[in-house]
Amino acid sequence: MRFLITGGAGCLGSNLIERYFPQGHELCVIDNFATGKREVVPPRKGLTVVEGSIADADLVNQTFETFKPTHVIHSAAAYKDPGDWREDVATNVLGTIHIANAAKAHKVGRLVNFQTALCYGRPTSVPIGVDQPTAPFTSYGISKTAGEAYLMQSGLSVVSLRLANVCGPRLAIGPIPTFYKRLKAGQDCFCSDTTRDFLDISDFFSLMDDVLKVDAPTGVFNVSTGEGQTIHDVYLVVAHYLGIDPPEVPIVPAGEDDVAQVVLDPSATRMAFGWNAKVNFEDTIVNQLRWYEKYGINDIYSHLAAPSTDNT
Ligand SMILES: NC(=O)c1ccc[n+]([C@@H]2O[C@H](COP(=O)([O-])OP(=O)(O)OC[C@H]3O[C@@H](n4cnc5c(N)ncnc54)[C@H](O)[C@@H]3O)[C@@H](O)[C@H]2O)c1
């Protein structure tokens, strides 16, 4: 198969390359390296790298024309500057429309989109069923939700996966890399008073293998273990892993742009694909920490504004 992976130099995209390249699929990445890394996509036979933005319709069309993908994995997203609404719209809305139009013109068999759980905004109950209404309130959430809505209107064969926090190689966002880096450096930490769900990359891969099948169900699906853990739970696992007697940490209220509880209900996904997450919370975090131990961490990104605390 011929997979076009938008945002292929990012965390999920590069993991998918590592999964699908050895299987002999032809791959093409389009990435502007806003948060992705050049070194994870060295061009080689069977992997084409196009540097540029999906906001550039001509570049997107040219890429489809040349590569002729059978499948699109749409992983590119802008989020790193929560105040840069124009960039979020350019990538997450316009860029997504460019990808949808080109995929239609080139009769792509299947498009897999990755969606943030922030599309639900502040949910009225958790776990959040996939039928709960979307109500995003951040630039990232709003623009990603608009992008997903256009895809669902496109007439393409689309699977949009609303993802829990996927943990795997090169994860550079969220509490796990932050606690690991700060605790290791002997720096203070704080925990936001929030709950999240965490999914191991192996569970994400097993679902991806299913959704890429041309006759698999289409639509919008939650991808999660369905179990929530507090950020303080994450802190304790990281401290324990590092052999540190965990120092007391301030628990700070969720910031204005944050959501107290995000736990997705994956029951409809289980029914549709017969898929179940297998790796438990602690093992998921420890797998992540083992990766940092071996390869280190560079930049850490966030789509949230920094909370006001003396400990940042
Ligand atoms: N990782 C998760 O747990 C998670 C959770 C929810 C949703 N998602 C979604 O999954 C996708 C991948 O997330 P990730 O964690 O790998 O993030 P990431 O930042 O590592 O990857 C995003 C990639 O998109 C690229 N990009 C940004 N703007 C672009 C543009 N205009 N044109 C081309 N490339 C562009 C970046 O350089 C980067 O390589 C995103 O759509 C994100 O919204 C991820």
Side-chain angles (χ1 to χ4, degrees):
M1 291 189 280
R2 300 175 66 79
F3 294 153
L4 173 66
I5 308 182
T6 72
C11 177
L12 296 188
S14 59
N15 277 295
L16 290 168
I17 291 171
E18 280 167 13
R19 181 160 185 85
Y20 293 122
F21 185 79
Q23 295 179 12
H25 300 290
E26 283 284 319
L27 306 179
C28 176
V29 163
I30 179 165
D31 203 299
N32 66 355
F33 301 105
T35 50
K37 302 273 178 244
R38 280 187 175 73
E39 59 269 26
V40 301
V41 285
R44 49 200 147 143
K45 196 173 169 338
L47 171 62
T48 308
V49 178
V50 177
E51 176 162 0
S53 173
I54 58 169
D56 179 346
D58 290 342
L59 183 71
V60 168
N61 291 335
Q62 234 174 56
T63 305
F64 273 77
E65 193 60 55
T66 313
F67 182 66
K68 301 192 173 18
T70 57
H71 293 65
V72 173
I73 300 176
H74 181 33
S75 191
Y79 59 83
K80 73 174 179 177
D81 179 354
D84 194 349
W85 297 1
R86 292 176 68 94
E87 180 54 37
D88 289 352
V89 169
T91 296
N92 303 342
V93 187
L94 256 187
T96 298
I97 292 172
H98 296 155
I99 295 293
N101 287 344
K104 258 181 104 165
H106 288 269
K107 301 193 169 30
V108 161
R110 180 149 284 236
L111 187 152
V112 181
N113 177 58
F114 300 143
Q115 172 64 305
T116 168
L118 292 173
C119 66
Y120 294 110
R122 295 198 169 82
T124 44
S125 61
V126 287
I128 310 167
V130 73
D131 51 356
Q132 275 206 25
T134 53
F137 59 90
T138 60
S139 173
Y140 173 53
I142 293 166
S143 54
K144 289 282 296 182
T145 304
E148 183 188 65
Y150 281 114
L151 285 175
M152 301 321 290
Q153 292 298 318
S154 68
L156 285 160
S157 171
V158 175
V159 186
S160 188
L161 302 180
R162 296 178 172 173
L163 302 174
N165 293 264
V166 181
C167 302
R170 294 175 289 283
L171 176 71
I173 184 167
I176 315 169
T178 307
F179 291 147
Y180 175 80
K181 205 169 174 177
R182 294 187 74 91
L183 283 171
K184 239 184 124 100
Q187 292 171 321
D188 290 341
C189 296
F190 66 88
C191 295
S192 63
D193 189 9
T194 55
T195 300
R196 292 291 181 270
D197 46 358
F198 298 88
L199 186 79
D200 192 78
I201 191 87
S202 60
D203 284 324
F204 171 68
F205 282 156
S206 69
L207 183 64
M208 279 302 293
D209 290 351
D210 289 342
V211 302
L212 283 165
K213 291 176 186 148
V214 166
D215 54 355
T218 53
V220 174
F221 297 96
N222 282 341
V223 184
S224 162
T225 61
E227 287 164 20
Q229 265 78 31
T230 66
I231 300 305
H232 191 252
D233 292 335
V234 176
Y235 173 78
L236 292 179
V237 177
V238 178
H240 184 253
Y241 177 84
L242 291 172
I244 295 170
D245 189 17
E248 281 291 310
V249 272
I251 312 272
V252 305
E256 270 178 21
D257 56 346
D258 204 355
V259 181
Q261 287 200 306
V262 182
V263 183
L264 299 174
D265 174 0
S267 49
T269 316
R270 284 190 190 125
M271 294 262 291
F273 293 95
W275 169 87
N276 253 317
K278 296 200 170 79
V279 185
N280 68 33
F281 166 67
E282 258 198 59
D283 289 348
T284 298
I285 306 300
V286 166
N287 288 342
Q288 184 66 56
L289 296 169
R290 285 202 185 113
W291 192 87
Y292 293 144
E293 204 69 3
K294 196 158 175 198
Y295 299 100
I297 309 177
N298 295 319
D299 311 319
I300 299 179
Y301 300 104
S302 177
H303 51 75
L304 300 173
S308 53
T309 161
D310 292 334
N311 297 305
T312 50

